[in-house]
Amino acid sequence: MNKKLTCGIFAILFLCYFMAYMGNLSHIIAYHEQHHLFLYTEAYFEQQLQSEGFFYYLTAFIIQFFYYPWLGSALLALLLASVYGMVGNVLRFLFGKEDWLHLSVIPSLLLFYYTMEASHTLVPVTVIVLSLGLVNLILWIFRHRMPLIPILQNTHIQQKKLRMGLQAVVLFVYAGYGYYHFVTSYNRSEGIMLKAEMNVKARDWDNVLKYTKLYLDSGKTNHLIAYFHQLALYHKGLLPYHLFDYPQYLGVKALYFPWNSDSRESEYGHFIYEDLGHINEAHHWEFEAMAVWGETAPHLLNLARYNIVNHRPKVAQRFINKLKQSLFYKEEALQLEQNLESGKVEGLRNALSGVVDVPARFSNAKNIGPELEYICNHDPKNRMAFEYLMSYLLLSNNVIRFVDNLHRIQHFDYSSLPVAYEEALLVYKLRVGEEKFKESGYSVSAETEARFARYYQLMENQQVPTLQKEFGNTFWFYLNYISPYGKKVIAN
């Protein structure tokens, strides 16, 4: 009976862990896989032994199988469930009795809770499992010896029904507390951010919007979520229409990451520059990220892609050669290798190809505004650069420059002027006067004029709750109540 119960608990633990890693904790598996790359070379082995140690090397070997989420989930679940089995064996040897209280569940659960944080290395899991395996091997060799604590063999609980009842209560407590602790300890915000990032990499913009909205609907502000949200809006063709759906407390920083030499932020800056076609700047971010996080698959793949498009095949080959030494990225590396001569990569375009600046021009790593204008000047049909430039100027209160750059819209097929653009035009009209506004060649619809009259009435009467309810998603409300740059229109 005890053996059957032990096997049953082992199976339940494995299944629960597996379902958790395939469900709410799926980002944990993806995060570790994306931050490790195991190479089958002697040089890698020697480097890891010298810098990180044998257990880190072994952990990286295990994590490479996380490439397939189901396999990674099953492998990690098996390791954690095996802790229960091996600790139980140790207790049986020590006390000469079955672990009828199943105390061995506790270390397994504690180790599972430890893995719930993405920032926690999995090295302790490897160390504990390997150590317990060694201890169990030694115990198996001395399996015929007497237990170390034989006095505990004579338990006072002899009645079978009472023992079974106590076991049921104990297992119920474990299950109840385990579920409670999981629910209360689960870092929901971290999960949302990492799942949003997973979907950005997969270019699944519907799911990116799903997760970013889930976060923003809670009323919280987060730089990474705001950044991913604007990217998803653009790729869904919604950026000019939904820019102000959520309060933009971060101002222009909601659009990008300025370079702050922050190790955490270094992983994210390349997304926008790659999509804009500003490949040199995307390369800059990825190279810095590789310096921080090491030669992981995402960084090596992107650096190979960028160098191919920038017609630097020898540099690209260096990154490809690394990937060819791995188990699961070898095929992708060979596919990239075929593109070395053509200088083309599917889904990647250099918007500034052929542009030569004399004297040399250096990118503004702190402020994306000049970069957006630069791309628009050299690639006028770059819709992303245009929409991000317009969004940047609106979020920076720079209505004058917004109107000066609005002529670029002629390159695109908008059925009508986005409402936020009209709202900015009306602010411009109020600032420069009717006569100069007519000279600009733009007009504001009667509907927008009427909406502004209602907005102004509410503002004059200081009816802020009603104002927010009716106009919280407008440029006007952002300018007067949210903008981190004050209420005034910036004139330069």
Side-chain angles (χ1 to χ4, degrees):
M1 178 64 184
N2 281 330
K3 287 185 178 180
K4 290 182 178 179
L5 183 59
T6 300
C7 291
I9 293 173
F10 178 91
I12 291 171
L13 286 174
F14 171 81
L15 187 61
C16 289
Y17 295 154
F18 177 76
M19 291 175 64
Y21 291 128
M22 287 295 290
N24 287 347
L25 298 181
S26 59
H27 60 283
I28 297 295
I29 299 297
Y31 180 86
H32 287 295
E33 193 279 329
Q34 292 284 281
H35 288 82
H36 293 81
L37 181 65
F38 187 85
L39 302 179
Y40 287 85
T41 63
E42 185 179 343
Y44 176 79
F45 175 73
E46 293 176 352
Q47 177 190 350
Q48 293 304 312
L49 286 186
Q50 292 175 4
S51 60
E52 304 290 348
F54 173 73
F55 287 112
Y56 183 92
Y57 176 83
L58 187 57
T59 303
F61 174 80
I62 295 170
I63 289 175
Q64 70 176 319
F65 298 103
F66 290 13
Y67 180 84
Y68 296 107
W70 65 268
L71 181 57
S73 299
L75 188 56
L76 189 52
L78 181 62
L79 292 175
L80 296 178
S82 69
V83 170
Y84 160 73
M86 290 189 288
V87 171
N89 286 336
V90 173
L91 293 178
R92 278 192 293 274
F93 179 83
L94 290 176
F95 303 135
K97 296 287 290 181
E98 286 292 327
D99 176 23
W100 63 270
L101 286 177
H102 299 281
L103 298 174
S104 46
V105 169
I106 296 174
S108 177
L109 283 176
L110 291 177
L111 204 55
F112 169 68
Y113 297 143
Y114 168 82
T115 67
M116 287 172 58
E117 291 287 336
S119 59
H120 288 172
T121 174
L122 296 184
V123 172
V125 176
T126 306
V127 172
I128 290 172
V129 170
L130 200 61
S131 301
L132 283 172
L134 182 61
V135 170
N136 274 259
L137 177 62
I138 295 172
L139 294 182
W140 181 83
I141 295 173
F142 296 99
R143 61 189 180 280
H144 299 301
R145 299 291 181 88
M146 292 293 291
L148 297 181
I149 314 177
I151 192 172
L152 295 180
Q153 279 187 286
N154 298 318
T155 177
H156 295 292
I157 304 174
Q158 298 293 335
Q159 297 183 14
K160 185 177 180 180
K161 289 183 178 180
L162 180 59
R163 185 167 64 249
M164 290 178 63
L166 283 173
Q167 282 184 328
V169 171
V170 168
L171 292 175
F172 179 79
V173 170
Y174 288 159
Y177 180 76
Y179 178 76
Y180 170 79
H181 188 81
F182 176 80
V183 171
T184 55
S185 300
Y186 173 62
N187 191 333
R188 185 169 180 267
S189 296
E190 179 185 72
I192 291 174
M193 285 188 283
L194 290 177
K195 286 175 182 176
E197 182 187 359
M198 287 165 55
N199 285 286
V200 168
K201 290 180 177 179
R203 306 193 74 76
D204 185 345
W205 302 112
D206 287 322
N207 267 331
V208 175
L209 281 179
K210 168 189 167 183
Y211 285 111
T212 55
K213 285 181 178 179
L214 195 62
Y215 191 100
L216 295 169
D217 283 340
S218 67
K220 295 184 291 186
T221 301
N222 177 275
H223 194 173
L224 184 65
I225 289 293
Y227 172 64
F228 286 158
H229 188 69
Q230 317 313 327
L231 273 176
L233 286 177
Y234 165 74
H235 284 288
K236 294 296 293 181
L238 302 173
L239 184 58
Y241 308 98
H242 295 275
L243 178 64
F244 297 104
D245 278 5
Y246 294 95
Q248 297 284 13
Y249 296 112
L250 298 173
V252 298
K253 288 184 179 180
L255 300 173
Y256 73 108
F257 276 93
W259 181 253
N260 294 317
S261 299
D262 187 299
S263 61
R264 295 294 305 175
E265 294 179 356
S266 65
E267 289 195 278
Y268 311 122
H270 74 280
F271 289 117
I272 183 173
Y273 289 108
E274 177 180 324
D275 288 350
L276 284 167
H278 197 340
I279 303 303
N280 282 339
E281 192 58 23
H283 186 282
H284 165 219
W285 278 87
E286 273 291 31
F287 200 88
E288 294 290 348
M290 186 180 70
V292 172
W293 298 99
E295 294 179 330
T296 61
H299 304 319
L300 293 175
L301 284 169
N302 283 332
L303 288 169
R305 292 165 66 241
Y306 300 156
N307 280 286
I308 290 173
V309 172
N310 275 338
H311 302 286
R312 294 195 288 257
K314 291 184 179 180
V315 179
Q317 186 72 65
R318 185 265 183 201
F319 301 115
I320 290 172
N321 288 341
K322 284 279 184 181
L323 290 164
K324 285 164 66 176
Q325 297 165 0
S326 67
L327 179 60
F328 295 109
Y329 289 96
K330 184 177 181 179
E331 186 176 341
E332 289 183 60
L334 292 173
Q335 290 176 353
L336 283 175
E337 197 169 39
Q338 295 175 3
N339 298 331
L340 288 173
E341 290 186 13
S342 67
K344 296 179 180 179
V345 176
E346 184 179 356
L348 196 60
R349 185 179 76 93
N350 189 346
L352 301 174
S353 178
V355 176
V356 179
D357 291 302
V358 180
R361 177 185 181 275
F362 294 93
S363 297
N364 191 326
K366 290 284 187 181
N367 189 346
I368 200 174
E371 300 309 301
L372 293 170
E373 197 162 355
Y374 181 75
I375 296 171
C376 285
N377 289 336
H378 290 90
D379 187 23
K381 294 185 179 180
N382 190 323
R383 188 174 186 130
M384 184 177 187
F386 168 73
E387 290 191 357
Y388 263 76
L389 176 61
M390 295 294 98
S391 300
Y392 174 88
L393 294 173
L394 290 178
L395 291 173
S396 62
N397 299 7
N398 209 321
V399 175
I400 307 299
R401 284 187 57 209
F402 171 85
V403 176
D404 290 342
N405 282 277
L406 191 54
H407 66 90
R408 301 180 190 274
I409 202 172
Q410 63 185 311
H411 296 291
F412 312 102
D413 56 346
Y414 292 91
S415 57
S416 61
L417 202 63
V419 173
Y421 291 9
E422 274 209 354
E423 291 166 356
L425 279 174
L426 185 54
V427 173
Y428 176 78
K429 176 182 177 181
L430 295 173
R431 180 177 177 82
V432 302
E434 185 76 33
E435 186 175 340
K436 188 171 181 180
F437 179 71
K438 287 181 179 179
E439 294 176 4
S440 69
Y442 301 110
S443 60
V444 177
S445 67
E447 181 184 355
T448 300
E449 296 271 9
R451 285 194 306 110
F452 183 75
R454 167 69 174 166
Y455 173 87
Y456 189 75
Q457 179 186 21
L458 292 172
M459 188 175 67
E460 284 286 288
N461 294 331
Q462 298 183 353
Q463 295 178 266
V464 178
T466 305
L467 193 66
Q468 184 171 13
K469 182 178 180 181
E470 294 187 22
F471 297 96
N473 63 343
T474 65
F475 171 66
W476 304 324
F477 191 85
Y478 170 79
L479 182 63
N480 290 129
Y481 295 95
I482 295 176
S483 174
Y485 314 110
K487 299 181 179 181
K488 294 184 179 180
V489 172
I490 296 175
N492 52 31

